[in-house]
Amino acid sequence: MFGPTPDYPLVESYINPNPDQTFYIAGPCSLESNELTYEILEKISPFITHFRGGVFRAGTYPSDNWGWKLDLLKAAYYEAKLYGLKNIVDVLDIRDIQNINCYADCFQVGARQAQHFALLKELGQQPKPVFIKRGTNMTFDEIMGSVEYVLRGGNKHVAIIERGSVSYLDHVRWELSVSMIAKIKQMTNIPIIVDASHGSGVAGLVSSLTLAGIGAGANGCLVECHPRPKESLSDAEQAISIEDYIEIYKKVRVVAACVK
Ligand code: PEP
Ligand code: MN
């Protein structure tokens, strides 16, 4: 284990037992309907390792009212299983862990929850992988602290997702930190995933920024996609089509092979 010092030992995480494995995580921002889940999985399944779709979105305003949709999660979980895929689900609240646990292979901790230490501690008690998104203002030390909360509970199955920072730039919603990816690779053995969807908030930049992250050593990518991107109920500005995701997948394979 490590404390708040600049000298981080290489932190071990079991999650990526095969160093050549690349995570391909994709799906809609929100599980909107079972029909949408089935349509996406049918098209995308050969090109992903993990299906991801939120059931409780962290809306900025309570009136966004995304609500709890356990039935949509159940259907997505079993449908992903039919394709031999794992699923990843965002968990916002300690009280939801048990319910989500029944229908999730992996937990995602959203950027706004990345320093919800009670939640992280609780996930440290779980036997499943935890993917922590770096908060939009978190430093390297701070994300390491969040990782340590999970590791100290005994759960060594931790990965980090780089999803961009707040910045003064106005051509993007968030600024992806490629240097954070390189730094995490340099200092730890924790898998790091590039999320250029939230890492820019701009659909047209998702492809090039995903490749930049993979070029910096990321172990995989998270991409939000939708058969009709403009109709996405959440994060429509950054959603790309399934066809565009598949093009990214093909390029990521090439870049990842070069980097390794
Ligand atoms: C998401 O992954 O859909 C999401 C809301 O991401 P973040 O927590 O990074 O904002
Ligand atoms: Mn989203």
Side-chain angles (χ1 to χ4, degrees):
M1 290 301 171
F2 50 85
T5 87
D7 303 317
Y8 293 99
L10 287 179
V11 174
E12 294 292 343
S13 171
Y14 105 111
I15 205 174
N16 201 5
N18 172 2
D20 292 331
Q21 185 191 338
T22 302
F23 294 87
Y24 294 95
I25 305 169
C29 180
S30 301
L31 296 179
E32 299 173 8
S33 67
N34 289 342
E35 291 65 36
L36 182 80
T37 297
Y38 302 151
E39 183 183 356
I40 295 179
L41 271 170
E42 192 183 357
K43 292 181 178 158
I44 212 177
S45 59
F47 310 103
I48 61 175
T49 55
H50 294 69
F51 181 63
R52 200 209 73 125
V55 282
F56 188 96
R57 308 305 325 131
T60 302
Y61 305 104
S63 53
D64 288 349
N65 192 28
W66 300 112
W68 239 106
K69 297 170 191 144
L70 196 59
D71 287 348
L72 294 180
L73 174 58
K74 277 188 201 172
Y77 174 71
Y78 289 119
E79 189 74 3
K81 285 278 162 292
L82 293 180
Y83 288 99
L85 296 170
K86 294 190 188 327
N87 72 329
I88 299 186
V89 182
D90 213 355
V91 53
L92 277 81
D93 189 320
I94 296 170
R95 292 167 294 187
D96 296 336
I97 291 178
Q98 292 317 324
N99 268 332
I100 291 179
N101 190 38
C102 299
Y103 306 106
D105 297 299
C106 310
F107 295 106
Q108 175 182 297
V109 176
R112 293 159 192 82
Q113 274 70 44
Q115 289 186 304
H116 182 336
F117 301 125
L119 177 66
L120 296 170
K121 271 183 168 172
E122 200 58 36
L123 292 171
Q125 306 293 319
Q126 303 295 321
K128 291 184 180 172
V130 180
F131 290 72
I132 307 176
K133 300 192 103 177
R134 185 179 68 82
T136 53
N137 56 356
M138 283 171 73
T139 63
F140 173 74
D141 282 358
E142 288 168 343
I143 188 67
M144 289 296 112
S146 295
V147 167
E148 190 178 354
Y149 267 96
V150 179
L151 293 176
R152 282 205 181 195
N155 185 352
K156 304 285 186 245
H157 312 179
V158 187
I160 300 171
I161 300 176
E162 166 53 40
R163 53 82 71 226
S165 303
V166 285
S167 84
Y168 55 83
L169 302 173
D170 60 5
H171 66 290
V172 284
R173 187 167 178 206
W174 287 291
E175 172 71 350
L176 185 81
S177 178
V178 174
S179 65
M180 185 63 75
I181 294 171
K183 175 81 176 170
I184 289 169
K185 286 311 293 177
Q186 190 180 57
M187 303 300 288
T188 82
N189 286 338
I190 301 169
I192 168 79
I193 312 293
V194 54
D195 170 2
S197 299
H198 300 90
S200 64
V202 180
L205 298 178
V206 171
S207 176
S208 42
L209 291 178
T210 300
L211 297 176
I214 299 291
N219 301 88
C221 55
L222 186 164
V223 178
E224 283 190 350
C225 53
H226 193 288
R228 293 161 293 283
K230 291 196 167 42
E231 292 176 21
S232 299
L233 289 186
S234 53
D235 284 348
E237 313 74 28
Q238 67 197 38
I240 63 168
S241 67
I242 309 291
E243 293 71 25
D244 285 349
Y245 167 73
I246 294 170
E247 288 308 308
I248 292 176
Y249 164 86
K250 290 179 188 163
K251 291 179 185 168
V252 166
R253 285 188 56 147
V254 175
V255 176
C258 291
V259 173
K260 276 165 195 149

